Amino acid sequence: MSTFAQVNGKVVSAPVAPGREVLARRGAMLAYTGDVGFSPVHLGSGGMGGMAGRMLAGEQVAMMVAQGNGTVYYGYRGLYVTIIDLDGSGPLSVEADRLVAHDASLQSTIVFLGSQGGIRGAVRGAVSGQGLFTTQLHGIGSAAVISHGGTIAIPVNGSRPTAVDPQAYVAHVGQVTVDISASVGWRDAVGRGSGEAIQLKLTGSGTVYVQASEQKI
């Protein structure tokens, strides 16, 4: 059951209570009801702070923790917001700049894409616009991610790959492996405005979320 609720296409609400804190990127809080307080979370500190490190174009994405009793409303720059629920069967991997908010109970790690397939992993990050780092959330809870034009959820089943334009990719959840595929030579693909020459191929079991645009955040 989701702990977040969809208010409309661009706003979600999240209940806050003792033991049910919410982490969100700074600037995402729109309004709240009840007795709720907000504090900055610092990279590299213990507890919830250790879960909040983000890398965005080589910079930290500032995070805030909501604590107390009430409901907080989140959105970001008028972009569409999608709720993704985690049941513990597999992690959520999401571009760091697309993650708006998540239950603080979820364990967060920063993954260097180069460690997932060597050079291929690093190239995949550069092509998809993720850079060399991505965020993974583990556990049971909810997260909210942003996109241009909303997202569609496409199942990833078995060994038959699901192909996604890297500029349209938002996130994936489950036991999913991602690889890069070039339909033409790499030299020919570099510099092209369209992403069709380079594709992300996903296999395994889970779901990939794709936005209705090739526009970056």
Side-chain angles (χ1 to χ4, degrees), residues 11 113 117 123 167 212:
V11 178
L113 292 180
V123 170
Q167 304 303 331

Side-chain angles (χ1 to χ4, degrees), residues 143-205:
V145 301
I146 51 176
S147 67
H148 287 282
T151 63
I152 56 174
I154 302 176
V156 179
N157 296 314
S159 59
R160 185 176 181 180
T162 299
V164 176
D165 185 307
Q167 304 303 331
Y169 169 87
V170 174
H172 69 267
V173 64
Q175 298 298 330
V176 176
T177 299
V178 184
D179 201 358
I180 187 171
S181 174
S183 58
V184 297
W186 176 255
R187 181 178 299 177
D188 295 329
V190 171
R192 295 191 177 186
S194 174
E196 281 78 5
I198 304 296
Q199 299 173 348
L200 299 181
K201 297 293 185 68
L202 297 91
T203 56
S205 178

